[in-house]
Amino acid sequence: MTNPFRYEQAFSRNIGWVTPAEQQALRGKRVAIAGGGGVGGVHLLTLARLGVAKFHIADFDTFDIVNFNRQVGAMMSTVGQPKAEVLARMAKDINPEIDVKIFPDGVNQGNLDQFLDGVDLYVDALDFFAFDARQQTFAACARLGIPATTAAPLGMGAALLNFMPGQMTFEEYFQWGDLPELDKAIRFVVGLAPAGLHRPYLVVPDAVNFAERRGPSTFMACQLCAGIVATEALKILLGRGKVLAAPHGMQFDAYRNKLAHTWRPGGNGNPFHRLMIAVAKRQMTRELAGKAVQA
């Protein structure tokens, strides 16, 4: 016997932390998520279980076995399948009424206006090294007055930054401009998690290689990111609760049982950040020079 889907019944256990009216409000909200990998997939499914029922999702990649450690849509049954299509199916399996618009080419300058059309919140889940797409998307959010949030899975924890309309923008905080990619990578790491709670327990430092565009990851971090982002989404979408926006940030590290609230006026122009960037750049330059000699 088929059990028919009813929205009110499916999300009834949310009531108490949200009111029935707020649950219906979430039902009408539209969230855009760029990236369907480690954090993007679990963002989508977490927000779907919160009762958000309208999404724009963008990803051009397919699932591979190397995704298994962290990507919620990566399974033997989905290897080789487009990430966005798999995740849309998973979301609709939670809520058959969900409206999911897929952008199979990812986000780019040509489709950004369409990707953000009618959107109430943008959730950044792009690959760490997708600098151009990230820069363009956050700039468009600032121009269109769309709240935007990003949570970085770092070690076994998560670092959060919100960018709210009329407040400090992504570019003002990170100060990427037209810098080379290596500089953007360094500034991104420093700006995302100036507290650096994850750094002390990196047991294989060589696993982090900006030049080769690779780094280690854990599913625990991705899940923590999704829980934090969905909570921020609830506050932003319902206009309820204090939302800390850049230059404020937050990092929680489950491995070290630590929580840090950071405040960096000027973002990466802050003297503390400038020092961290300079140190990181010197270290990176030495490492690259050493590898060149070995080669």
Side-chain angles (χ1 to χ4, degrees):
M1 180 178 177
T2 301
N3 189 17
F5 176 85
R6 288 185 59 248
Y7 180 91
E8 291 78 8
Q9 183 180 18
F11 304 107
S12 61
R13 298 299 290 271
N14 290 340
I15 305 304
W17 301 116
V18 299
T19 68
E22 287 174 329
Q23 187 66 70
Q24 289 300 320
L26 289 172
R27 187 180 190 177
K29 299 298 184 181
R30 186 177 300 276
V31 176
I33 305 172
V39 290
V42 73
H43 284 334
L44 173 64
L45 300 188
T46 303
L47 288 168
R49 292 192 187 279
L50 183 61
V52 176
K54 297 179 182 179
F55 294 95
H56 291 174
I57 60 174
D59 199 294
F60 58 80
D61 203 4
T62 57
F63 283 115
D64 196 358
I65 292 178
V66 296
N67 304 142
F68 278 28
N69 79 309
R70 69 198 181 282
Q71 299 192 14
V72 71
M75 297 166 279
M76 287 305 298
S77 61
T78 63
V79 168
Q81 295 185 24
K83 292 181 180 181
E85 291 183 11
V86 169
L87 292 169
R89 290 201 306 267
M90 295 174 74
K92 288 180 179 179
D93 216 14
I94 294 168
N95 177 359
E97 299 174 355
I98 268 183
D99 173 15
V100 184
K101 184 171 184 179
I102 295 173
F103 290 76
D105 298 321
V107 287
N108 53 63
Q109 196 66 51
N111 67 13
L112 264 178
D113 285 345
Q114 188 180 9
F115 177 68
L116 295 172
D117 183 38
V119 164
D120 299 293
L121 172 67
Y122 168 63
V123 175
D124 174 39
L126 290 165
D127 182 84
F128 178 89
F129 298 99
F131 301 117
D132 288 345
R134 178 171 281 113
Q135 196 167 11
Q136 291 170 10
T137 305
F138 274 101
C141 287
R143 173 171 53 84
L144 297 169
I146 297 172
T149 186
T150 186
L154 297 170
M156 300 174 207
L160 172 79
L161 282 170
N162 293 314
F163 296 93
M164 301 296 289
Q167 300 189 49
M168 188 176 226
T169 67
F170 181 94
E171 182 59 36
E172 289 169 343
Y173 183 85
F174 285 103
Q175 300 182 15
W176 277 0
D178 296 323
L179 290 171
E181 285 197 352
L182 184 58
D183 291 80
K184 288 182 179 180
I186 292 170
R187 286 172 178 250
F188 198 34
V189 169
V190 169
L192 280 171
L197 299 182
H198 57 293
R199 289 198 292 266
Y201 59 91
L202 178 65
V203 292
V204 184
D206 287 347
V208 179
N209 191 313
F210 287 168
E212 296 178 6
R213 292 191 164 208
R214 60 178 171 83
S217 58
T218 70
F219 190 47
M220 299 86 79
C222 295
Q223 290 178 306
L224 286 167
C225 284
I228 291 169
V229 162
T231 304
E232 295 299 301
L234 181 149
K235 292 192 290 183
I236 292 169
L237 295 174
L238 296 179
R240 194 187 90 183
K242 185 177 181 180
V243 176
L244 291 176
H248 291 272
M250 185 270 285
Q251 184 179 7
F252 170 68
D253 192 277
Y255 185 86
R256 297 185 64 199
N257 302 315
K258 291 194 176 207
L259 174 68
H261 165 220
T262 55
W263 179 58
R264 297 293 187 269
N268 278 338
N270 185 283
F272 180 58
H273 280 216
R274 289 205 304 267
L275 176 61
M276 293 174 68
I277 290 166
V279 170
K281 191 166 183 180
R282 282 199 300 269
Q283 181 181 351
M284 190 65 60
T285 301
R286 285 197 301 268
E287 290 176 359
L288 291 173
K291 288 179 181 178
V293 170
Q294 292 174 6

